[in-house]
Amino acid sequence: MVSRAAISCPSTSGSSGGRNSSVHRGIQRTILAQSTSSHGIGDTRTDSDRIVYSWCAGEDSWDFDRKDEAPLALPKVAQGRVATVTLVRHGQSTWNARNRVQGSSDFSVLTEKGISQAQESAQVLSQLLQEQRDLSVYVSPLKRARQTADIILQGYSEEVVDGMCVIPSLREIDLYSFQGMDKYSTRAANSKEYAEWKSHPAEFEIDGHAPVRELWYRASLAWQNILAAESDHCLVVAHNAVNQALICTALGLPPSMFRRIQQSNASFSQLQFTHDDVRVQCINSFPVVSMMEKEITKSHYKLVLVCGGTNDSSSILSRIKDVDTMLPCMVAVGTPGEQVVDVMTALEASLSSSAQSGIVAIADAEACDEIVRRCVSSDTDTVVMNQRRFDFRPGSATILSFTSKDSCHANLVCSNYTSQRLLA
């Protein structure tokens, strides 16, 4: 377990006051508060023993980043540098298991299932990260994320572990007076507010705050520190909503994209930054194949894309068909543009059919990128998504889930899920 005394975070290089220095001061305040707390990661008290904290009263030390403002511009990495950032969501927590609204509260810890998920994720990530000698690690201040980070970093060098940096802006979305309530009670007691939260989260306001817009701002604040690191690879261990916001602010996507990019427990996403571009290496890569298979069966209306160009593609197609035997399959042919037309036409026909719930399609990487951008983007962000953003390895799988047959836009369940695990 990492000693809290060892956790520190350098201020953004070159900053002298202003927002970046307040980020640094906020980090120091949080570390001091954590180091004097009597309830650490190993706290075993039950939820009934706890007093639900009045987060809406602003009694924590995080008011410095609760701003309903436009996100800060993404820092540019130096010319010639390639920075890879891996985002991990914590494993299942006690409040996840109980369907309780966590937000930025810090009363839950990992369940046994969550610990197992983190261990499985650690095994997969070790193949990606162990060779990174200059790895920088950033973590949310909340116990469930720090516990996940500790599990992932087992076996890493003392230098990497001791250098782990706590950034308060990486905490989960602030949900104020909703926090601590179970989701069913929240829906019953706050029917109008809860309906707004579910249907229009970017416009939703509670206790004088706009949670999603504030989240977008502080995700951009976190990027100021993460991308200031000199390491070529950064590991970020945080939460569902804030990881969504990190991905979207990196791509320049608005708060209306909230809930459109899925982040499952212990799954990871990877972004690659150069001076002039941001590329998506993968989204929501599951630590075990069974999680992907569950998503295929759970999604009522879906498009499963398999990137062609490898002998593995047909084997992966067969495995997906074993999971959902009702999904019709197609192989797109011709130029990338023609493949896009083929897949989108087949998808529209499938979604309009009462007998089908989606399709599985094999297409090349360029066509997969265009299809994902068309399905995920909305009218307000087509400019942002008008260039190639997503990388696809031959033999990888991508899942897009549509909320209804009439929906023209999809949620991105996962992208570029690698063939090695699919064929294991």
Side-chain angles (χ1 to χ4, degrees):
M1 204 65 73
V2 180
S3 166
R4 292 192 184 95
I7 299 176
S8 61
C9 183
S11 59
T12 304
S13 59
S15 69
S16 56
R19 282 171 176 155
N20 286 337
S21 62
S22 65
V23 171
H24 184 51
R25 289 195 300 273
I27 290 166
Q28 299 304 321
R29 285 200 303 273
T30 300
I31 291 167
L32 289 172
Q34 290 168 348
S35 63
T36 57
S37 170
S38 61
H39 304 297
I41 292 175
D43 184 9
T44 58
R45 292 179 302 161
T46 64
D47 295 331
S48 60
D49 294 329
R50 303 179 187 278
I51 299 174
V52 177
Y53 199 84
S54 178
W55 299 99
C56 58
E59 295 174 32
D60 55 69
S61 61
W62 295 333
D63 280 344
F64 73 95
D65 63 3
R66 289 188 172 116
K67 296 183 180 181
D68 184 3
E69 296 181 7
L72 303 176
L74 191 71
K76 284 186 174 292
V77 301
Q79 287 278 9
R81 180 186 167 211
V82 178
T84 302
V85 179
T86 301
L87 307 172
V88 184
R89 183 188 175 190
H90 63 79
Q92 184 196 61
S93 71
T94 48
W95 282 21
N96 286 152
R98 292 185 59 183
N99 282 314
R100 210 164 169 182
V101 181
Q102 294 181 114
S104 58
S105 65
D106 200 18
F107 299 133
S108 63
V109 294
L110 296 188
T111 61
E112 288 301 319
K113 179 179 179 179
I115 292 171
S116 177
Q117 289 173 333
Q119 291 168 339
E120 290 164 343
S121 188
Q123 291 179 4
V124 176
L125 288 169
S126 66
Q127 301 170 23
L128 297 175
L129 303 178
Q130 285 284 19
E131 296 179 1
Q132 303 296 327
R133 297 181 180 178
D134 60 346
L135 178 68
S136 293
V137 182
Y138 300 89
V139 65
S140 157
L142 305 183
K143 290 191 289 287
R144 54 193 186 270
R146 298 203 320 273
Q147 192 176 5
T148 302
D150 287 339
I151 292 170
I152 291 172
L153 292 179
Q154 288 177 2
Y156 283 76
S157 69
E158 185 176 332
E159 181 181 3
V160 169
V161 174
D162 287 350
M164 185 167 65
C165 167
V166 175
I167 301 182
S169 294
L170 289 176
R171 70 187 182 278
E172 184 57 298
I173 186 171
D174 296 314
L175 286 175
Y176 304 99
S177 56
F178 272 7
Q179 294 180 177
M181 301 179 71
D182 71 66
K183 294 180 181 179
Y184 306 107
S185 297
T186 305
R187 184 186 298 123
N190 308 273
S191 57
K192 182 179 179 180
E193 292 85 355
Y194 190 82
E196 179 72 9
W197 164 237
K198 298 302 288 186
S199 60
H200 300 97
E203 287 76 46
F204 171 71
E205 296 187 4
I206 184 172
D207 302 315
H209 291 271
V212 174
R213 298 196 298 271
E214 291 177 359
L215 180 69
W216 250 241
Y217 172 77
R218 63 176 166 87
S220 73
L221 206 58
W223 279 127
Q224 310 304 308
N225 282 85
I226 295 167
L227 293 179
E230 297 180 357
S231 304
D232 290 335
H233 204 126
C234 299
L235 172 66
V236 177
V237 184
H239 308 268
N240 176 15
V242 73
N243 283 3
Q244 291 181 51
L246 287 167
I247 293 166
C248 287
T249 52
L251 297 175
L253 297 172
S256 58
M257 288 291 293
F258 183 68
R259 296 200 190 101
R260 298 283 302 282
I261 297 179
Q262 187 165 315
Q263 298 290 282
S264 302
N265 286 123
S267 295
F268 67 91
S269 303
Q270 200 167 71
L271 305 176
Q272 192 173 81
F273 297 81
T274 58
H275 183 72
D276 298 315
D277 196 16
V278 182
R279 305 281 301 175
V280 179
Q281 303 290 297
C282 67
I283 293 288
N284 203 34
S285 193
F286 308 109
V288 290
V289 175
S290 60
M291 292 177 68
M292 190 207 74
E293 294 173 339
K294 180 180 179 181
E295 290 296 337
I296 292 176
T297 56
K298 185 173 73 173
S299 301
H300 295 296
Y301 313 113
K302 53 190 167 277
L303 167 62
V304 182
L305 282 173
V306 177
C307 183
T310 173
N311 293 331
D312 288 343
S313 298
S314 58
S315 299
I316 292 166
L317 196 65
S318 297
R319 173 138 191 189
I320 292 170
K321 281 291 293 178
D322 289 340
V323 175
D324 190 338
T325 57
M326 300 301 292
L327 278 177
C329 301
M330 66 168 292
V331 179
V333 296
T335 66
E338 292 169 337
Q339 292 180 44
V340 171
V341 172
D342 281 353
V343 173
M344 295 304 292
T345 301
L347 175 64
E348 290 169 7
S350 174
L351 293 177
S352 63
S353 168
S354 59
Q356 296 180 5
S357 59
I359 61 171
V360 180
I362 294 181
D364 69 19
E366 187 174 341
C368 287
D369 174 78
E370 173 69 19
I371 292 164
V372 169
R373 286 187 288 115
R374 282 196 188 189
C375 291
V376 172
S377 63
S378 63
D379 295 338
T380 59
D381 51 53
T382 50
V383 175
V384 175
M385 299 291 275
N386 67 358
Q387 58 182 312
R388 286 200 66 182
R389 289 287 190 181
F390 295 86
D391 289 338
F392 296 91
R393 300 181 189 91
S396 66
T398 296
I399 305 174
L400 293 154
S401 173
F402 298 82
T403 54
S404 71
K405 283 181 173 288
D406 299 324
S407 175
C408 58
H409 301 303
N411 298 332
L412 183 55
V413 177
C414 70
S415 75
N416 204 17
Y417 193 68
T418 57
S419 59
Q420 288 85 353
R421 275 176 283 163
L422 284 167
L423 295 174

